[in-house]
């Protein structure tokens, strides 16, 4: 499927179904099944503050966060066809500093950073350092006591035409210890229709390049 020619209102949901003998069955369970719950567990409680969802086009997270009472902003380089009460949409490149510095309590980047700077999802300017530039931009946008909730494909490191895969070393290099401190991290591996929690050593051995993300890393970091 051409990722840039999908239904413009199609959301990337954890489960996809197909008909077998006239009955719907689960055909696919992607990494959103662990990423979305991780994001919700990492949000501040009681619910308050200003949240930015980076790469919002196919995500329902900005809608869910708004429903929880956060002041919600969402950014994507493509137009967002879905309107939702309480969500402020911005069509812009996060790397070009479209906001005033240090204005967000929480920034969510759910399976987004790995695409930034590559020629996909509407991006027309190749920049191999796009993920690092995006992390620096996020750092500038977070309040001193803010947090970044980040999820990325994990496994043997490398890149396709449209996403990167990180191992433990490259993920920690991306989240430079000079600017971010990791507070929480988790790793999950795909097992048919299931996603199983595992160690980073186990997840690092997974091939997440040839058949899509088959392992994922989820982290919560704060500015140092």
């Amino acid at each position: 499927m051409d990722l840039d020619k999908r239904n413009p209102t199609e959301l990337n949901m954890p489960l996809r179904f197909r008909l077998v003998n006239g009955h719907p069955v689960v055909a696919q369970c992607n990494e959103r099944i662990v990423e979305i719950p991780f994001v919700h567990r990492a949000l501040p409680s009681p619910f308050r503050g200003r949240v930015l969802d980076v790469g919002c086009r196919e995500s329902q997270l900005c809608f869910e966060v708004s429903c929880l009472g956060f002041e919600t902003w969402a950014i994507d380089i493509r137009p967002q066809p879905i309107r939702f009460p309480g969500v402020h949409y911005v069509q812009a490149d996060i790397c070009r500093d479209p906001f005033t510095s240090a204005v967000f309590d929480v920034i969510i980047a759910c399976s987004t950073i790995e695409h930034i700077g590559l020629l996909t999802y509407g991006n027309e300017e190749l920049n191999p350092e796009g993920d690092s530039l995006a992390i620096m931009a996020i750092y500038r946008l977070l309040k001193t006591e803010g947090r970044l909730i980040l999820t990325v494909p994990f496994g043997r490191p490398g890149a396709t035409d449209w996403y990167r895969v990180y191992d433990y070393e490259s993920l920690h290099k991306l989240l430079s210890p000079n600017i971010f401190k990791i507070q929480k991290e988790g790793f999950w591996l795909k097992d048919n229709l299931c996603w199983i929690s595992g160690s980073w050593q186990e997840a690092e051995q997974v091939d997440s390049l040839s058949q899509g993300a088959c392992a994922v890393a989820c982290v919560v970091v704060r500015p140092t």
Side-chain angles (χ1 to χ4, degrees):
M1 178 184 294
D2 186 331
L3 294 173
D4 293 321
K5 294 182 179 179
R6 293 188 294 187
N7 184 331
T9 60
E10 181 182 354
L11 298 177
N12 188 359
M13 307 296 288
L15 300 179
R16 293 183 182 272
F17 300 85
R18 61 186 175 90
L19 291 177
V20 175
N21 297 325
H23 298 284
V25 298
V26 176
Q28 179 184 354
C29 178
N30 67 29
E31 61 271 27
R32 293 294 187 278
I33 199 73
V34 293
E35 290 175 321
I36 293 173
F38 183 90
V39 169
H40 280 281
R41 290 193 299 269
L43 289 170
S45 182
F47 299 123
R48 63 177 180 269
R50 179 181 290 179
V51 178
L52 175 65
D53 182 19
V54 180
C56 64
R57 174 69 176 261
E58 282 87 14
S59 174
Q60 71 270 29
L61 277 168
C62 60
F63 312 140
E64 295 170 354
V65 168
S66 180
C67 288
L68 292 173
F70 290 95
E71 180 186 343
T72 306
W73 293 74
I75 185 171
D76 202 295
I77 60 173
R78 298 160 297 166
Q80 172 57 271
I82 303 174
R83 291 294 179 262
F84 194 85
V87 178
H88 308 279
Y89 296 105
V90 176
Q91 184 180 353
D93 183 345
I94 188 71
C95 298
R96 298 184 184 276
D97 295 323
F99 300 99
T100 304
S101 297
V103 291
F104 291 103
D105 300 283
V106 180
I107 296 181
I108 301 167
C110 181
S111 283
T112 295
I113 293 294
E114 66 270 18
H115 303 293
I116 295 179
L118 302 181
L119 299 179
T120 187
Y121 290 118
N123 182 48
E124 297 178 350
E125 296 181 14
L126 180 63
N127 187 340
E129 303 300 319
D131 54 347
S132 297
L133 293 175
I135 288 294
M136 291 301 299
I138 287 171
Y139 174 77
R140 291 190 293 270
L141 292 176
L142 277 173
K143 294 180 180 179
T144 303
E145 299 300 322
R147 69 188 71 177
L148 165 63
I149 307 171
L150 174 74
T151 75
V152 294
F154 198 79
R156 295 194 290 272
T160 70
D161 291 340
W162 63 282
Y163 72 96
R164 305 173 184 87
V165 176
Y166 303 88
D167 62 2
Y168 198 75
E169 180 181 358
S170 57
L171 178 59
H172 280 246
K173 182 179 179 181
L174 178 69
L175 299 169
S176 169
N178 294 325
I179 63 171
F180 279 118
K181 180 180 180 180
I182 295 179
Q183 285 203 322
K184 182 179 181 180
E185 59 185 11
F187 304 88
W188 285 264
L189 298 79
K190 187 176 183 180
D191 182 12
N192 294 317
L193 291 178
C194 299
W195 285 80
I196 309 300
S197 177
S199 67
W200 68 263
Q201 292 92 340
E202 293 172 309
E204 198 176 54
Q205 303 306 311
V206 170
D207 176 9
S208 285
L209 288 169
S210 62
Q211 297 183 14
C214 292
V216 64
C218 302
V219 299
V220 180
V221 300
R222 290 183 180 272
T224 55

